């Protein structure tokens, strides 16, 4: 990509973001709210104190890990909609480790991390096998596996892992406190979770930029027939992409179970896989912008609760902002691609003459 093309893309994205905020501002005015006050409340609700920043980071951790996992599969042209299910299975495996493995707290935490990675990888590979050997589109296979994982969680919570004498879907018994991920002082966020999140996005960044595995995944995503003619075993690399992405998604589930809920709950995935899809779309399927974009989405999710408390607006307005922003960015991306196609067509015509 040339410097001129990069500048045009940046201008296009900036105009898309500005347009999205103008539309949201008009919507807030129509609802009788002051847009500036609403945006300020969202900011204060997510960054206004150390406690609120901690709450935002609690959302950012699983979101950035799930988004990092999606970068891998999307680079290979795979729509890994089943990331939610991989988060759930990772949480189930981590819960098994926290409940059954004996030993000191650090050993159980390490076992939970490894178990979550393995569980998510297995669920990801299963989606990959359905795709490569069963001919099942990864969207349908991933969604089916998500519902299977959701059913497994509910079964475990009200069945084998149910609290003694309680028939409830509120979750299992709390893990022993010494296996909870360590927190930062009195804050709710865990420094270990933050470390895992940073390691995940940095690792994916270098995986996709500086390794043969990452380059071949991009080649498959750009043109599977062309990569096959060059000798790239597409099925093997797609399975590898699902395995690595699933492992990261399972790690997101581990942080949810061992650092946030401290138990297994039916809603353990928190919708972070689906929200990660929006993050990665905005990031242009690149790892670099994922961390700040995930922080922005986390701030909207946490801070939008202030709209209901202070302005009597439904907190779902935050979701409207997210959706509007994604829509405008997708429109801008489509416009950029159309312009590029027109330029290529003009260049071919001029070259032919």
């Amino acid at each position: 990509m040339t410097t001129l093309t990069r500048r045009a893309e940046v201008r296009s994205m900036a105009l898309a973001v500005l347009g999205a905020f103008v539309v949201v501002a008009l919507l807030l005015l129509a609802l009788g709210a002051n847009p500036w006050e609403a945006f300020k409340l969202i900011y204060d609700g997510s960054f206004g104190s150390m406690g609120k920043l901690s709450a935002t980071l609690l959302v950012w951790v699983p979101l950035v890990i799930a988004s990092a996992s999606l970068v891998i599969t999307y680079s290979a042209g795979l729509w890994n909609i089943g990331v939610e299910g991989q988060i759930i299975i990772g949480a189930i495996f981590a819960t098994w480790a926290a409940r059954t493995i004996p030993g000191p707290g650090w050993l159980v935490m390490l076992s939970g991390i490894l178990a979550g990675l393995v569980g998510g990888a297995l669920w990801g590979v299963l989606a990959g096998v359905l795709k490569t050997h069963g001919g099942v589109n990864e969207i349908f296979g991933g969604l089916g596996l998500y519902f299977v994982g959701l059913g497994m969680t509910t079964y475990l919570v009200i069945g084998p892992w149910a609290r003694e004498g309680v028939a409830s879907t509120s979750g299992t018994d709390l893990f022993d406190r010494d296996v909870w991920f360590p927190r930062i002082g009195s804050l709710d966020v865990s420094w270990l979770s933050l470390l895992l999140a940073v390691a995940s996005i940095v690792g994916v960044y270098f995986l996709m930029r500086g390794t043969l595995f990452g380059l071949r995944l991009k080649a498959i995503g750009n043109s599977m027939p062309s990569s096959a003619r060059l000798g790239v075993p597409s099925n093997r690399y797609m399975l590898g992409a699902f395995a690595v992405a699933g492992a990261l998604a399972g790690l997101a589930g581990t942080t949810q179970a061992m650092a946030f809920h401290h138990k297994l709950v039916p809603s353990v995935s928190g919708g972070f896989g689906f929200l990660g899809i929006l993050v990665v779309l905005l990031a242009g399927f690149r790892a670099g912008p994922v961390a700040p974009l995930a922080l922005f989405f986390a701030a909207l999710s946490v801070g939008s609760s202030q709209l209901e408390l202070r302005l009597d607006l439904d907190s779902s307005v935050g979701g409207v902002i997210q959706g509007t922003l994604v829509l405008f960015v997708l429109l801008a991306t489509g416009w950029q691609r159309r312009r590029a196609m027109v330029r290529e067509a003009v260049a071919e015509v001029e070259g032919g003459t």
Side-chain angles (χ1 to χ4, degrees), residues 272-297:
F272 293 120
F274 295 137
L275 187 56
I277 295 172
L278 301 184
V279 172
V280 175
L281 284 173
L282 282 180
F285 311 118
R286 301 190 302 270
V290 162
L293 284 171
L295 184 62
F296 173 76
F297 275 68

Side-chain angles (χ1 to χ4, degrees), residues 235-253:
N235 283 354
R236 187 191 308 168
Y237 274 86
M238 284 193 290
L239 285 175
F242 271 115
V244 178
L248 285 177
L251 181 62

Side-chain angles (χ1 to χ4, degrees), residues 20-26 28 33-47 296 300 303 307 311 317 321:
F21 276 99
V22 169
V23 169
V24 171
L26 292 175
L28 290 170
N34 184 323
W36 174 253
E37 184 181 359
F39 293 143
K40 186 176 183 299
L41 284 173
I42 291 175
Y43 177 83
D44 290 340
S46 51
F47 299 112
F296 173 76
L300 277 180
L307 300 179
L311 297 181
V317 172
I321 298 175

